[in-house]
Amino acid sequence: MSGAMTAAAPPYGSFLATGRGKLTLALLCAVTFLDVMDGAIVNVALPTIRTDLGFSVQNLQWVVSGYLVTYGGFLLLGGRAGDLLGRRRLLIAGTALFAASSLACGLAGGQGLLVGGRLAQGFGAAMMSPAALSILTTTFRDADRHKALGVWAGISGMASAAGLLFGGVLTEDFGWRWVFFVNLPMCALVLFGTFRILKADRGRSVPGGFDAVGAVLATAGMLLLIFTLVKAPDEGWAAARTIGGLAASAMLMAAFAVNEQRRAHPLVPLSIFRIRGLAAADATQVIAWAGFSSMFFFVTLYMQNVLGYSQLQSGLSYVPVSVGIGAGSTAATKMFVRTGTRPVIVSGALLAAGGVFWLSRIPVDGTYLGDLLVPLVVMGAGLGLLYAGVQTAANAGVPEDQAGLAAALITASFQLGSALGLAVFSGIATSRTGHLLAAHTPPPEALTAGFQRALLVSALCLVAAGAIALRASNTRGEPAATAEIRQDLESSYDPA
């Protein structure tokens, strides 16, 4: 494109040290900030949305879950499409769709349009996020790559806390529609920067054509899995719909695996999982974010329903969490060179588990300074360490033409973990609270007891994530995939 600046790294020196390198990183981090923030910012506005549009309690969940379902469901397709069709092209298309659907959500006059807009937002995010992460991992090299991934991880982690803050401020001062309108200037900035900074890429042609069957099976399997997890707390884990949904999802993913093995040029070459530590990093992300997403959910409910905080007060309470996350991710980038990523991930998981366990001791008459501030900061520091380490380990050794797929896998594990954690742990909290209410326990005590139990299990979940991380790769630099794995990956696209 005329006038476009290339984001390709120079052959010598540090690209990140240049002005163009810093602009490239800032642009890509803006994408992840936008995607992650949007998943959190709506939560604080839900009570107002329910009153204004007349949602039932049961249907209100789809304002949040609609985004989660399509984001997680289309990630594999979006990530691979970026590798094949061009990552900048997918980033532009996804951002444009995200902006249009955000406008539709903000203007929504009824429940159907709002939920439909959220579904479209998730689809746009599924194109944006893996495209941006794969551009980052293929643009920056060596030490620059570690620093860039550390910044990316820190911004991603802080975006959740920032979303809760912005949601409170915007809802209280301007109305709930502004939690969607705020996306528009950010999308415009991303689109402008993408055209000006990133070099156009053509993707690569696929001999034998696009694997349409694999795309349908993978997308249908992921959509059904996340949809079933989201509905499980209402339907019941032993309900026929829940069991049937999980079984059908497993069958679709099994059919997808068989199709990929038989295809000469698959959508997802399964040999990518032979890259050392990639599967362990993805699994660590699933389990860790099951704990983290639940923690944010229950602590927010505790502040509003037990301590009586306003939406703005709840949002402001998470500002120190962002400081902890930033400190953790910054420390992680300095530790990688000396210790490798594995000790960083494990120590982050254990530190975060300690913070969440501390939060599981919250009393009915708790205070922010005495019972929430310090454990939230400790948890945030652990989150920063863990997330930066997982992102680096999951992308280590991945060939450049598979970067979009690797980015989609680690992002999908984030979404799957969020859905799994809320589905399982909300059931634990509700069961405990319901049992106590039936025994005529005062509501604040019953709610707090439910939150305590769910947070305790969340802490144990983070310990389990640390154990899984022991099998993640322990990279200090940017190791290449082994020759055997690289040959397997490349053969997926070799016409011969």
Side-chain angles (χ1 to χ4, degrees):
M1 179 176 178
S2 178
M5 295 183 291
T6 179
Y12 304 105
S14 170
F15 180 48
L16 188 57
T18 67
R20 188 175 298 172
K22 290 181 174 67
L23 284 174
T24 300
L25 179 57
L27 168 66
L28 299 175
C29 286
V31 176
T32 191
F33 183 86
L34 182 60
D35 290 345
V36 177
M37 182 191 71
D38 195 77
I41 194 172
V42 179
N43 286 302
V44 182
L46 288 177
T48 308
I49 293 173
R50 178 189 174 192
T51 301
D52 195 20
L53 297 184
F55 274 95
S56 66
V57 174
Q58 184 176 10
N59 290 336
L60 185 65
Q61 69 166 322
W62 285 107
V63 178
V64 175
S65 300
Y67 180 79
L68 185 66
V69 167
T70 49
Y71 192 170
F74 286 99
L75 267 169
L76 283 180
L77 179 60
R80 201 68 194 109
D83 288 336
L84 302 177
L85 303 178
R87 293 162 190 150
R88 194 186 81 148
R89 190 175 299 168
L90 261 289
L91 178 56
I92 292 169
T95 304
L97 176 58
F98 194 91
S101 53
S102 295
L103 179 61
C105 287
L107 297 174
Q111 300 176 19
L113 183 56
L114 180 57
V115 173
R118 292 292 283 167
L119 291 168
Q121 273 189 313
F123 187 30
M127 291 190 281
M128 295 165 64
S129 183
L133 181 54
S134 58
I135 290 171
L136 183 149
T137 58
T138 55
T139 298
F140 297 101
R141 303 292 184 185
D142 303 319
D144 279 359
R145 191 166 184 253
H146 280 311
K147 292 177 183 177
L149 283 169
V151 174
W152 168 280
I155 294 296
S156 299
M158 288 188 286
S160 293
L164 295 170
L165 170 61
F166 293 156
V169 172
L170 292 171
T171 302
E172 192 160 305
D173 292 342
F174 301 99
W176 66 265
R177 297 181 185 278
W178 279 93
V179 303
F180 300 108
F181 290 150
V182 73
N183 294 333
L184 299 179
M186 294 184 65
C187 287
L189 185 63
V190 168
L191 287 172
F192 176 78
T194 300
F195 280 111
R196 292 290 299 168
I197 299 172
L198 301 182
K199 183 180 179 180
D201 55 343
R202 299 178 179 274
R204 58 185 301 159
S205 60
V206 181
F210 187 75
D211 181 11
V213 174
V216 170
L217 289 172
T219 302
M222 287 293 294
L223 282 170
L224 183 57
L225 173 60
I226 295 179
F227 177 83
T228 303
L229 290 174
V230 166
K231 293 291 292 180
D234 293 329
E235 299 286 347
W237 287 97
R241 288 185 178 181
T242 301
I243 296 173
L246 293 174
S249 174
M251 292 175 63
L252 286 169
M253 297 309 293
F256 169 71
V258 171
N259 177 78
E260 300 306 278
Q261 288 179 326
R262 293 181 176 178
R263 290 275 303 189
H265 309 289
L267 177 75
V268 179
L270 298 182
S271 52
I272 193 173
F273 292 105
R274 295 178 59 194
I275 296 176
R276 184 174 178 269
L278 184 144
D282 290 342
T284 300
Q285 178 98 311
V286 171
I287 303 302
W289 272 101
F292 283 129
S293 62
S294 302
M295 184 281 308
F296 281 113
F297 180 73
F298 292 118
V299 171
T300 301
L301 289 179
Y302 169 73
M303 287 191 288
Q304 293 187 0
N305 295 339
V306 177
L307 301 184
Y309 284 18
S310 67
Q311 295 168 334
L312 178 58
Q313 287 174 317
S314 298
L316 290 172
S317 298
Y318 285 107
V319 172
V321 177
S322 299
V323 177
I325 294 171
S329 59
T330 300
T333 60
K334 297 178 180 178
M335 294 169 63
F336 289 154
V337 178
R338 297 193 298 269
T339 68
T341 52
R342 189 187 301 127
V344 173
I345 299 172
V346 174
S347 60
L350 296 180
L351 184 62
V356 177
F357 176 76
W358 192 343
L359 289 169
S360 73
R361 315 304 296 172
I362 49 175
V364 177
D365 57 350
T367 63
Y368 180 71
L369 292 178
D371 300 288
L372 293 177
L373 176 59
V374 177
L376 280 173
V377 173
V378 171
M379 180 281 307
L383 191 160
L385 287 168
L386 184 149
Y387 196 55
V390 166
Q391 292 288 332
T392 302
N395 288 282
V398 177
E400 183 171 328
D401 60 357
Q402 304 289 319
L405 176 57
L409 288 169
I410 194 63
T411 309
S413 62
F414 169 90
Q415 296 298 327
L416 181 59
S418 297
L420 181 65
L422 289 176
V424 174
F425 299 149
S426 62
I428 292 173
T430 301
S431 175
R432 176 63 174 161
T433 298
H435 176 76
L436 292 175
L437 288 174
H440 307 292
T441 302
E445 293 182 20
L447 283 170
T448 302
F451 299 153
Q452 287 173 339
R453 180 161 294 184
L455 288 168
L456 176 60
V457 180
S458 297
L460 295 175
C461 193
L462 288 165
V463 173
I468 295 171
L470 292 173
R471 296 194 59 82
S473 61
N474 192 37
T475 176
R476 291 180 174 83
E478 189 181 7
T482 64
E484 181 181 1
I485 295 173
R486 187 178 293 276
Q487 183 177 5
D488 287 343
L489 290 168
E490 291 175 351
S491 67
S492 300
Y493 301 98
D494 187 352

